[in-house]
Structures are given as C-alpha cells and as structure tokens.
Amino acid sequence: MERTKVFLLMAGLTALLVVLGGAIQGTGGALTFFILAALMNFALYWWSDKAVLRMYGARIIGPDDAPELYRMVDRLRQRAGLPMPTVAIAPHDQPNAFATGRDPEHAVVCCTAGLLRLLTPDQLEAVVAHELAHIKHRHMLVGTVAATMAGAIAMIGNIVKWGAIFGGLGGRDRDEGSNPLALLAMAIVAPIAAMIIQFAISRQNEFQADRTGAEICGRPRSLAGALRRLEEYAHRIPLEVNPAAAQLAIVNPLAALRGAGLLQLFSTHPSTEARIARLEALAEDPRFARLGA
C-alpha cells in the first residue's frame, strides 16, 4: 500500500509538470517537463531522505558523537526487529523527532537537540520507539517522498507565479500553446497541489506508530507524557522548517509560528489529545500493566 501511494504521488507529479510544461511552451514544453519529472521522480525515491535532513539542518552522527542516544536507538531497534538506522541530530531548541528514508535498510531517526535536553530518559526512549514504529510499518517512504515533492511543487509554483507576473515565462508565440491564463492558473494550482499531497499520508499512521512504539518500549504512559510535553513546547519554542517537511515530525513543529492555525487545516496528524487518550487507554491493558506502564 505504501509503495502504491508513492507510485500515485509520482504519477501525479509527472502529470502536473507535463500540464505545466504545455502551458508554458506547448508540446515542446510538455516534453521538457516530462523529462524533468522523470529525473525528479528518480531523485525523490533515492535521495529524498537527504533533502529532508537538509530541510531540518540535521547532521548524521556516529556512536562517539552521542553515545547514549546511539545505544538507545540500537537497543530499541533490536527489540523492534529492525536493522540499525542512521541516527541524526537537528540543531533546534524545540523538542521534536522524525523518521525518514525509503525502507528499513535505509532509514534515519532524527532527534532535535531540544528533545535530548528537555525530555526524561523514559520519555526520550518512548519517542525513539515511536519513530522506529514508523520505520517498522514503512510509513516514512510516503512521508519522505511527499515532503520533498510538496517542497518542489511549491517552489515550481512560485517560479511560475513570478514568471507570469513579469512575463518571463510563456514566450511570444501563442501558436505554440503558450497561455498566460494557464500560467496563472498553474501558479494558483501548484501550491494547492502541495497541500493535497499532505493528504496522501494517513492520519491513522500516527495512531499505529503510537501503539507500536508503546509496545516496543513497553510504556504507553511514557509516550503519552512525551507527547504532552512536546505539544506544550511546540507552542512555546518556534522551529522554522519548510512546511512541506513539518508533517514528518512527531508533533506539529510550526505551532508557535504565525499562520500555524492555517497550517493545521492541512495537518496529517490527529490531535495530540486524541493520541494521548488512546495511549492512556492502552496503558490499562494487562500486558502493559505487567510491565509497569
């Protein structure tokens, strides 16, 4: 199912770019943009995780850089039955985390500096377990591709918008199919398409990752407590990141920024309150009660 979603996303990107190319320069433009789409799709699949890490300004670390975090990830990934992911740290004060990569063998778990500083060890372990759950269920392929694609479409939309305004795009030969109105339409549609891409990611993924993460660490209430603290800090400490990549984080990192209310309309996350309620209910399960949840 996840790979099917990726195929549909890439097919949608191809169609969007071909229509855009046709609007700019007729048949020749459509062919040029088809080739561009093919190159972008190739890059999206193989290198979108690196693009996401750049959006967050994250750096990859080894066992000597943050030994406690590295050992924690290694211990939990063994419990989850996963290969060792790459570990990265993003230099942000807001506590947050995300997973990226195209499959479990090429996965990345990234924590912000604030996450390492502001959570208790149990809460940090629960957050890492949540991100490993995303890897286990292969959620991150769709999220990573969608984040990178949304950023690319938004950038193309801006280029087209300013090109249409200043007459830099479209050429002079209307017989070739150039249409300023079509350009303007695409300038409006492209950013909307970037938002629609976010809907490719199911809100149920977070509930599933919460449950599996709680099973990996054995403490639903630790994850519930972590989510509560992360939500509070997200409203107090800004984290400026490309909105296209915001949906990868465990909680919305843009909550403290101006305009975040509008972004909530396109959020791929269920409410933190609903997630906490489910985790609290899960903690009453006898399996977790025996583990001291």
Side-chain angles (χ1 to χ4, degrees):
M1 179 60 70
E2 298 303 304
R3 292 186 183 276
T4 299
K5 289 181 180 179
V6 170
F7 172 79
L8 293 174
L9 285 171
M10 290 181 170
L13 174 65
T14 302
L16 179 65
L17 288 180
V18 168
V19 171
L20 177 60
I24 292 174
Q25 202 64 44
T27 304
L31 179 60
T32 299
F33 272 59
F34 176 79
I35 296 172
L36 174 63
L39 294 174
M40 287 184 65
N41 284 333
F42 181 83
L44 280 171
Y45 185 81
W46 292 102
W47 298 303
S48 54
D49 56 332
K50 294 179 176 60
V52 169
L53 290 177
R54 283 196 295 272
M55 289 180 189
Y56 278 90
R59 66 180 181 89
I60 294 173
I61 65 163
D64 295 331
D65 299 309
E68 292 184 7
L69 174 63
Y70 204 90
R71 285 195 299 268
M72 178 185 292
V73 174
D74 191 20
R75 183 176 68 255
L76 290 170
R77 69 89 188 172
Q78 292 181 53
R79 197 179 298 175
L82 292 168
M84 182 64 186
T86 298
V87 182
I89 296 177
H92 301 291
D93 291 330
Q94 184 191 110
N96 224 314
F98 64 90
T100 185
R102 65 181 183 273
D103 55 42
E105 288 72 31
H106 302 88
V108 181
V109 171
C110 181
C111 302
T112 65
L115 187 80
L116 304 180
R117 188 174 65 253
L118 296 172
L119 294 193
T120 68
D122 283 354
Q123 290 172 341
L124 176 59
E125 187 174 85
V127 169
V128 171
H130 170 96
E131 299 308 330
L132 290 172
H134 278 306
I135 296 172
K136 189 176 182 70
H137 293 297
R138 296 177 179 264
H139 295 156
M140 73 285 182
L141 175 61
V142 174
T144 299
V145 169
T148 310
M149 188 180 295
I153 290 176
M155 179 182 67
I156 291 170
N158 283 329
I159 292 173
V160 172
K161 177 180 68 177
W162 292 112
I165 290 173
F166 293 107
L169 294 175
R172 297 181 179 178
D173 189 356
R174 292 182 180 272
D175 293 335
E176 287 295 315
S178 174
N179 186 335
L181 291 178
L183 285 176
L184 184 58
M186 289 305 300
I188 296 171
V189 168
I192 295 174
M195 297 174 184
I196 292 174
I197 283 174
Q198 308 302 318
F199 289 107
I201 305 162
S202 172
R203 290 172 179 251
Q204 294 304 310
N205 286 357
E206 292 303 321
F207 287 128
Q208 187 179 36
D210 285 342
R211 181 181 179 89
T212 302
E215 291 171 351
I216 292 171
C217 72
R219 294 184 303 276
R221 287 198 176 97
S222 291
L223 182 53
L227 291 175
R228 188 175 290 110
R229 294 192 71 180
L230 294 181
E231 183 72 14
E232 292 171 357
Y233 281 116
H235 284 86
R236 290 163 47 190
I237 303 175
L239 194 164
E240 295 188 12
V241 66
N242 189 320
Q247 47 83 15
L248 289 172
I250 187 170
V251 298
N252 177 16
L254 304 176
L257 299 179
R258 182 178 300 176
L262 179 61
L263 291 169
Q264 289 285 1
L265 295 175
F266 306 100
S267 174
T268 58
H269 289 62
S271 72
T272 301
E273 292 79 5
R275 295 168 67 186
I276 290 172
R278 289 199 183 195
L279 287 166
E280 294 287 357
L282 187 61
E284 301 300 323
D285 188 306
R287 292 177 303 162
F288 293 103
R290 286 195 298 269
L291 290 172

